[in-house]
Amino acid sequence: MSTDKQFYKEHPTFHVAVDSIIFGFDQGELKLLIHKRKFEPAKGEWSLFGGFVQQGESLDEAANRVLFELTGLEKIYMEELQSYGEADRDPAGRVISVAYYALIPAKEFIEAGNSKYGATWVSVKDLPPMIMDHGVMVKKGLRRLKRRAASQPIGFELLPGEFTMPQLQSLYEAIYQEELDKRNFRKKILAMDVLIKLDRKDKSSSRKGAFLYRFDQKKYKKLVNGGYNFTI
Amino acid sequence: MSTDKQFYKEHPTFHVAVDSIIFGFDQGELKLLIHKRKFEPAKGEWSLFGGFVQQGESLDEAANRVLFELTGLEKIYMEELQSYGEADRDPAGRVISVAYYALIPAKEFIEAGNSKYGATWVSVKDLPPMIMDHGVMVKKGLRRLKRRAASQPIGFELLPGEFTMPQLQSLYEAIYQEELDKRNFRKKILAMDVLIKLDRKDKSSSRKGAFLYRFDQKKYKKLVNGGYNFTI
DNA sequence: TCAAAAGTGTTCAAGATACACCCATGA
DNA sequence: TCATGGGTGTATCTTGAACACTTTTGA
């Protein structure tokens, strides 16, 4: 075993960071959580939330830790997006960064934006310039979100546990950046038979009120095991 | 700037490796290029081809270098798949690995398999156990290939520049692991209008001979820019 | 002449799209 | 009573799936 370590030792080591593309949904808009960088270089410029991987910590663990330190949120939907390893991507030294994207439920939306880290939600339709390759990461994250949302029920991660049809539709419209026909949308979603309709209404956005639904995780898993394919 | 380096310095560094899932297509079968590991631990067990990232070298460059050193091939289709960063994934020490998948054209198939590194092509339908998390990587690579092949014309990367319809269909059957109807397959492919039919035939597999086609890269790019979506 | 692979069209079913009006409610 | 957003059904078109026979040619 000592010979192997010998072997590995010939090779260089690198700082490894995780950067998170954190999406939220509010006011009918898809938003991204960013902050102003606290140290040089590029101090004061917009940046994703990131941090260095520590000893004994996996990449996933590092990503979850960084998100937790920032927002206090745990058990958030997170998925690796892509690694960024250009030798000169960080002017302050070589850092290999693994980008993750995360979906924050609407319920937790406000608090996350009010954290002590100066986090700010910005609309994905109007993104400011960001440091280094963070803009590239976000673009890639958006593309991935679009594709994933069409083929897997991850949209629900961006909504509260109980939501209305108009809310759900508005979310998909924000992700796809296009308007959908509400009759066809309902038909499609309900045909998949993964929603539970509650007998309560949400009256916060209309006098009539809209029925609340819940996503049926168990039913969904059964369908998937039976070879079912979620598609919107 | 020295303060930043100071800042980075507080954080640990890691060995970073690339591991390549190398697919080839031959005899109607989708195959994977692997070799027997040359050093402890797990010496002599099946392993993907990998290597450590070097100073001044990006991840993509490292992946291409490793593939070149192994097969002598350049300009091969390669794409990052996923990073693997469990703290204990390598028993000989902490290594963060970035998995890539590569598609080797049929033409280069044989030479790659005959390299001095003892490379061996194995059918993806009958994979041997592999070291560490390499089996997991391959599974993920296969899933990705399936999805990509359905939505982007990457299948052509696995064929020679000129190919016949039966060959192309056989490739898709190998990727999807299911049989396709040849009339429907032709209809779909030809309807996309990205193939150039040549007036020559390949007679190596039948007396009648099958017409050769080429993939029309330019036409495809135009279609994509026009919002077209490749789908098989 | 015949074996073996290449090539070709049509029918049917399902899913996607387009589209317009009534309902419930609080102010 | 009326303004606002929620809710519903049908007709048409497009797309995918199923399916069988003829052609070419070298041995």
Side-chain angles (χ1 to χ4, degrees), chain B residues 28-39:
Chain B
E29 291 223 324
L30 189 60
K31 302 201 169 161
L32 177 70
L33 192 65
I34 56 178
H35 77 314
K36 288 193 170 163
R37 187 162 153 120
K38 300 272 184 311
F39 47 88

Side-chain angles (χ1 to χ4, degrees), chain A residues 1-11, chain B residues 15 17-19 35-52 66 69 89-93 95 117 131-132 134:
Chain A
M1 199 102 146
S2 61
T3 50
D4 329 318
K5 296 215 172 159
Q6 213 61 24
F7 178 78
Y8 288 2
K9 243 183 204 161
E10 297 165 18
H11 298 284
Chain B
H15 286 291
V18 291
D19 283 306
H35 77 314
K36 288 193 170 163
R37 187 162 153 120
K38 300 272 184 311
F39 47 88
E40 296 294 342
K43 183 172 171 174
E45 294 182 32
W46 291 111
S47 164
L48 295 174
F49 283 96
F52 286 93
V66 167
E69 288 172 0
R89 56 177 289 282
D90 187 331
V95 177
Y117 294 86
I131 60 162
M132 301 195 286
H134 287 195

Side-chain angles (χ1 to χ4, degrees), chain B residues 21 26 35 41 53 55 69-70 81 150 175 199 211 225:
Chain B
I21 297 149
D26 187 47
H35 77 314
V53 177
Q55 293 292 0
E69 288 172 0
L70 159 69
L81 183 62
I175 292 175
D199 53 5
F211 277 104
N225 290 335

Side-chain angles (χ1 to χ4, degrees), chain A residues 152-164:
Chain A
Q152 279 172 42
I154 64 170
F156 304 105
E157 304 287 343
L158 286 162
L159 292 175
E162 301 183 353
F163 51 86
T164 67

Side-chain angles (χ1 to χ4, degrees), chain A residues 11-215:
Chain A
H11 298 284
T13 61
F14 304 92
H15 287 291
V16 178
V18 292
D19 283 305
S20 293
I21 297 151
I22 304 172
F23 290 116
F25 177 67
D26 187 46
Q27 309 277 350
E29 291 224 323
L30 189 61
K31 303 200 168 161
L32 176 70
L33 193 64
I34 56 179
H35 78 314
K36 288 193 170 161
R37 187 159 151 123
K38 298 274 185 308
F39 48 85
E40 296 294 344
K43 183 173 172 176
E45 293 182 34
W46 291 112
S47 164
L48 293 174
F49 283 96
F52 286 94
V53 177
Q54 301 300 317
Q55 292 291 2
E57 178 185 61
S58 74
L59 296 172
D60 288 355
E61 283 161 3
N64 280 287
R65 172 180 56 76
V66 167
L67 185 66
F68 176 73
E69 288 172 359
L70 159 69
T71 63
L73 299 177
E74 289 181 285
K75 297 186 186 166
I76 295 298
Y77 180 91
M78 269 192 117
E79 184 184 329
E80 193 202 319
L81 182 62
Q82 166 121 32
S83 297
Y84 291 83
E86 294 301 316
D88 56 358
R89 55 177 291 280
D90 187 331
R94 175 107 202 231
V95 179
I96 288 168
S97 178
V98 183
Y100 279 76
Y101 75 99
L103 305 180
I104 294 197
K107 195 174 49 182
E108 337 277 10
F109 189 91
I110 305 298
E111 8 186 338
N114 285 344
S115 88
K116 55 181 171 176
Y117 293 87
T120 306
W121 289 104
V122 296
S123 166
V124 299
K125 284 199 288 192
D126 187 27
L127 293 170
M130 282 182 271
I131 61 163
M132 301 196 284
D133 46 11
H134 287 195
V136 178
M137 293 180 182
V138 172
K139 257 189 205 158
K140 170 118 188 160
L142 278 167
R143 277 204 304 277
R144 177 85 135 248
L145 178 59
K146 251 185 222 182
R147 251 181 307 147
R148 273 281 187 289
S151 65
Q152 279 172 42
I154 64 170
F156 304 105
E157 304 287 343
L158 286 162
L159 292 175
E162 301 183 353
F163 51 86
T164 67
M165 274 294 162
Q167 269 181 290
L168 185 61
Q169 183 177 342
S170 152
L171 167 63
Y172 273 94
E173 289 176 337
I175 292 176
Y176 297 154
Q177 298 288 334
E178 68 178 291
E179 305 218 326
L180 304 172
D181 179 279
K182 64 179 170 175
R183 281 165 294 190
N184 293 338
F185 181 79
R186 287 177 112 94
K187 216 185 306 171
K188 225 167 176 179
I189 291 275
L190 292 174
M192 289 192 296
D193 195 28
V194 292
L195 295 190
I196 301 167
K197 184 175 184 175
L198 309 178
D199 52 6
R200 282 172 290 122
K201 282 187 167 187
D202 169 67
K203 295 208 165 186
S204 63
S205 70
S206 77
R207 310 192 196 291
K208 184 176 176 181
F211 278 104
L212 289 162
Y213 290 81
R214 284 197 301 110
F215 178 62

Side-chain angles (χ1 to χ4, degrees), chain B residues 124-182:
Chain B
V124 299
K125 285 199 289 193
D126 188 27
L127 292 170
M130 283 182 272
I131 60 162
M132 301 195 286
D133 45 13
H134 287 195
V136 176
M137 294 180 182
V138 172
K139 257 190 204 159
K140 170 117 189 161
L142 278 168
R143 277 204 304 276
R144 177 84 135 248
L145 178 60
K146 252 185 220 182
R147 251 182 306 148
R148 273 282 187 289
S151 64
Q152 280 172 42
I154 63 171
F156 303 104
E157 304 286 344
L158 286 163
L159 292 176
E162 302 184 351
F163 50 85
T164 67
M165 275 294 163
Q167 269 180 291
L168 185 60
Q169 180 176 347
S170 152
L171 168 63
Y172 273 94
E173 289 176 337
I175 292 175
Y176 297 156
Q177 299 286 334
E178 67 179 291
E179 305 218 328
L180 303 172
D181 179 278
K182 63 178 169 173

Side-chain angles (χ1 to χ4, degrees), chain B residues 22 60-78 102-105 107-109 111-112 157:
Chain B
I22 304 172
D60 288 354
E61 284 161 3
N64 280 288
R65 172 180 54 80
V66 167
L67 185 65
F68 177 72
E69 288 172 0
L70 159 69
T71 63
L73 299 177
E74 290 181 283
K75 296 185 186 169
I76 294 298
Y77 180 91
M78 269 193 117
L103 306 181
I104 293 197
K107 193 175 50 181
E108 335 280 10
F109 188 91
E111 10 185 336
E157 304 286 344

